[in-house]
Amino acid sequence: APLKSLSYPQILLLFEAYSVFFLPLAQFSVMPRVATSLICFLALMSVQSAQSAVVPPPAGASWMDLFNGTIMQLVIAALILNVFIHAIAFNWKDEDLAQTVNLEMRYGWAMVSVVTVVVSAMASYGVGLRELSLVNQAGIWVSSFGYMYWTTQRHTEKVQKQQQQQQQQQQQQ
């Protein structure tokens, strides 16, 4: 029961952070999407702080440290990816790509979250905490920033293709 009371609030906050990808991607929803992400991050910090006050400090690294770190990094990654989607839509003025990325995040980010939480759960089966922590961190950040890089490349290719089409049209006139 104590494990449930400590981990369930964090899982719920992780779902809440994930929910931003289901909110509309429009100018009027920028604030609700970003605020939801930030509130999840702040609430998670509060939950983890309260948890630290209740649970006696371990002698070394514990499964709960791994779990807390994984959840925190997933929430931060969702916040960063959410802001990235808004940058695509409103700074780059590429709403089609932003809608595509938002849809891809509904599946991709959920998959990364499930995999990293399952990897965290493997710690109870004797796998080293340090190694699992590194695997989780690498999985979260390599997939997040790799995806952002790939999306940037997609946007660049799209802009280049549009410029080439404009040049061809000008040459035809």
Side-chain angles (χ1 to χ4, degrees):
L3 182 60
K4 289 180 184 178
S5 66
L6 296 174
S7 61
Y8 283 178
Q10 293 185 62
I11 296 292
L12 289 174
L13 287 169
L14 181 62
F15 284 135
E16 185 66 27
Y18 172 65
S19 73
V20 299
F21 301 120
F22 291 90
L23 294 174
L25 185 59
Q27 192 74 38
F28 70 86
S29 69
V30 170
M31 184 58 191
R33 285 176 62 119
V34 174
T36 300
S37 294
L38 284 172
I39 289 169
C40 287
F41 172 69
L42 294 173
L44 186 59
M45 287 179 59
S46 177
V47 166
Q48 289 182 358
S49 177
Q51 175 185 321
S52 296
V54 174
V55 177
S62 69
W63 178 84
M64 193 55 77
D65 294 333
L66 173 65
F67 181 78
N68 289 348
T70 298
I71 299 295
M72 182 63 77
Q73 290 180 41
L74 286 167
V75 169
I76 292 169
L79 173 62
I80 292 169
L81 290 164
N82 184 33
V83 171
F84 180 65
I85 291 169
H86 286 289
I88 295 169
F90 304 116
N91 291 6
W92 297 354
K93 308 279 190 237
D94 194 346
E95 290 189 31
D96 291 336
L97 182 59
Q99 290 289 352
T100 300
V101 170
N102 193 59
L103 182 62
E104 291 169 352
M105 283 297 101
R106 291 180 185 175
Y107 302 104
W109 192 81
M111 190 169 52
V112 169
S113 297
V114 167
V115 168
T116 54
V117 170
V118 167
V119 168
S120 295
M122 290 175 58
S124 62
Y125 296 106
V127 179
L129 289 173
R130 183 169 188 266
E131 292 81 8
L132 285 177
S133 178
L134 292 174
V135 167
N136 276 349
Q137 289 175 21
I140 293 166
W141 298 115
V142 168
S143 63
S144 296
F145 288 116
Y147 181 79
M148 290 169 65
Y149 175 78
W150 178 60
T151 300
T152 303
Q153 292 301 317
R154 290 193 288 178
H155 174 71
T156 302
E157 290 171 6
K158 184 177 179 181
V159 168
Q160 289 173 347
K161 185 183 272 187
Q162 289 172 347
Q163 289 173 347
Q164 288 174 351
Q165 288 173 349
Q166 288 174 351
Q167 288 174 351
Q168 288 174 353
Q169 289 175 351
Q170 289 174 352
Q171 290 174 353
Q172 290 174 355
Q173 294 174 354

